[in-house]
Amino acid sequence: MQLTMEPLDEMLESARVMDRAGMDTIWLAEAYPWWRKHGMEARSSTVTSALIARATERITVGWGIISPFTRHPVQAAMDARVVQEAAGPGRFLLGFGTSKIFLNNARMQTRKTLGPMRDAVAIVRGVLGGQEFQYEGEAWSADVPALQDEAHTPREVPPVYVAATAPKMQALSGEIADGCLTPSITTPAFVGYTRENVKADIDIGCTVVASIGADRDEGRDGAREIAGMYLANKFQNIQGAADTLLELAGIEMEELKPIAEAMEQGGRLAAKEQISDDLLYRCKPIAGTAEDCIAAIEEYRDAGCTHVMLELWGDNRHRQIELFGEQVLPEFR
């Protein structure tokens, strides 16, 4: 998992390291302008994904996620074609998610999300399918002619994922998508909750805070930092939407207030200092030594996760990626 809030050269080099280390997929989580408050800049996932595809050789590139509200689904399909062309066959996954914080930043907030998501998935598949396509939807419609035989373009329809926290959106993902992506601070308990709501045999991608090191304390340091960032984010931006996620982790919203205040006043390192060992434990990170990470992944797998998405953070991330490739991935291949 790569948040698109870091300099382009850094993201490209991280992708190359993941490619060499044997990671299956790099998911690009489209950052939102809120990160400007904390010394970072949001960058487009659709543009970055094409560049990453060209900079790597074998790793699959996924949008994890973009919001269908910020790009008409016909435009999203056009962007997807570029990534397919840059990556080559079978190296692209398309993910949609509401991204309510992004909508707040763009003053586009809407309470209707299920109908627009259904429209977005239908339209992007219809356009990428290449046949003449007409669609009248609740939020979006399309009228697209067929591709001609002589058109030089990929013709694959990539797997489509829907990011979902709430039960109705999770159920919709089971109905219309190839996979469901869960939010940051996912725990094994939330994986089980998701499986119950999805009610379909689709890929369940689980976003889990992560880091690794030679010893347990060092190996949990990065996970502690990114957990602080995301717990502060949930307190400041998505109270209500994250209630079940936190409840299943055994975390009270009021516990997050000092973390959010520290994030506002001193940034992510100050927020990190507010994450106790007990709170980090309840976040269920994939973190610590290689043995700790293997055990944690097994717990997620047993809960029903079929696609672990490491939200890797901390010092020397490239070496951390290599450690996962050398010491953890072989246990699951």
Side-chain angles (χ1 to χ4, degrees):
M1 174 70 76
Q2 170 68 57
L3 287 158
T4 60
M5 61 186 188
E6 297 183 281
L8 178 60
D9 286 346
E10 290 184 22
M11 290 191 285
L12 292 176
E13 185 56 30
S14 292
R16 293 186 190 102
V17 176
M18 292 181 207
D19 198 30
R20 293 192 296 267
M23 297 287 184
D24 294 322
T25 306
I26 176 169
W27 287 96
L28 295 172
E30 187 156 73
Y32 24 81
W34 177 81
W35 289 106
R36 286 185 168 191
K37 296 172 63 177
H38 304 292
M40 303 177 193
E41 175 64 301
R43 291 163 172 85
S44 162
S45 282
T46 55
V47 175
T48 303
S49 58
L51 295 171
I52 285 176
R54 275 295 166 92
T56 54
E57 296 179 2
R58 44 151 296 278
I59 195 168
T60 297
V61 181
W63 291 347
I65 46 71
I66 66 166
S67 175
F69 290 95
T70 58
R71 299 168 181 86
H72 190 284
V74 172
Q75 180 67 57
M78 294 165 62
D79 292 345
R81 249 335 165 226
V82 177
V83 185
Q84 288 181 308
E85 200 161 11
R91 287 186 60 207
F92 174 60
L93 304 174
L94 193 159
F96 280 133
T98 302
S99 191
K100 290 187 176 181
I101 304 171
F102 199 124
L103 298 186
N104 286 338
N105 288 154
R107 298 280 181 96
M108 295 172 64
Q109 186 69 329
T110 175
R111 293 184 179 181
K112 293 184 177 181
T113 57
L114 297 175
M117 186 63 73
R118 184 184 295 276
D119 291 347
V121 171
I123 290 172
V124 79
R125 279 191 176 136
V127 174
L128 291 173
Q131 303 301 313
E132 181 179 2
F133 180 72
Q134 295 180 329
Y135 182 89
E136 293 293 332
E138 175 184 321
W140 293 293
S141 300
D143 186 355
V144 179
L147 272 173
Q148 295 185 7
D149 292 341
E150 61 266 30
H152 294 282
T153 179
R155 295 175 186 268
E156 287 182 272
V157 179
V160 179
Y161 286 70
V162 169
T165 303
K168 289 183 179 179
M169 187 64 79
Q170 291 186 339
L172 182 65
S173 73
E175 179 187 343
I176 67 172
D178 299 294
C180 177
L181 304 179
T182 68
S184 183
I185 315 294
T186 284
T187 61
F190 192 77
V191 176
Y193 170 85
T194 301
R195 275 287 176 201
E196 290 177 2
N197 292 326
V198 167
K199 293 184 173 65
D201 186 20
I202 62 172
D203 197 19
I204 303 295
C206 304
T207 309
V208 186
V209 295
S211 56
I212 191 171
D215 62 65
R216 183 167 293 174
D217 289 341
E218 175 194 346
R220 290 184 174 175
D221 192 66
R224 192 184 304 273
E225 183 176 336
I226 197 163
M229 293 161 61
Y230 268 101
L231 290 173
N233 184 13
K234 293 186 189 305
F235 182 86
Q236 292 179 343
N237 295 311
I238 49 177
Q239 290 194 39
D243 285 355
T244 301
L245 181 76
L246 296 176
E247 179 184 338
L248 289 171
I251 298 172
E252 299 285 341
M253 185 61 74
E254 279 304 303
E255 292 183 78
L256 308 187
K257 185 175 181 180
I259 302 169
E261 291 174 348
M263 184 82 168
E264 282 294 299
Q265 295 168 12
R268 64 183 188 273
L269 295 180
K272 168 187 166 183
E273 295 303 315
Q274 297 297 318
I275 305 295
S276 66
D277 288 344
D278 175 62
L279 183 54
L280 182 61
Y281 172 79
R282 283 179 280 156
C283 292
K284 295 294 184 182
I286 296 174
T289 64
E291 292 76 16
D292 292 329
C293 293
I294 290 167
I297 291 172
E298 288 174 342
E299 185 177 2
Y300 276 94
R301 181 185 59 189
D302 292 346
C305 173
T306 54
H307 194 132
V308 174
M309 303 163 70
L310 300 173
E311 204 152 40
L312 195 65
W313 201 257
D315 294 336
N316 202 353
R317 264 179 284 163
H318 293 172
R319 181 55 189 150
Q320 290 191 60
I321 292 166
E322 291 169 348
L323 285 173
F324 268 103
E326 295 163 2
Q327 300 182 17
V328 178
L329 291 186
E331 296 296 320
F332 300 96
R333 294 276 167 82

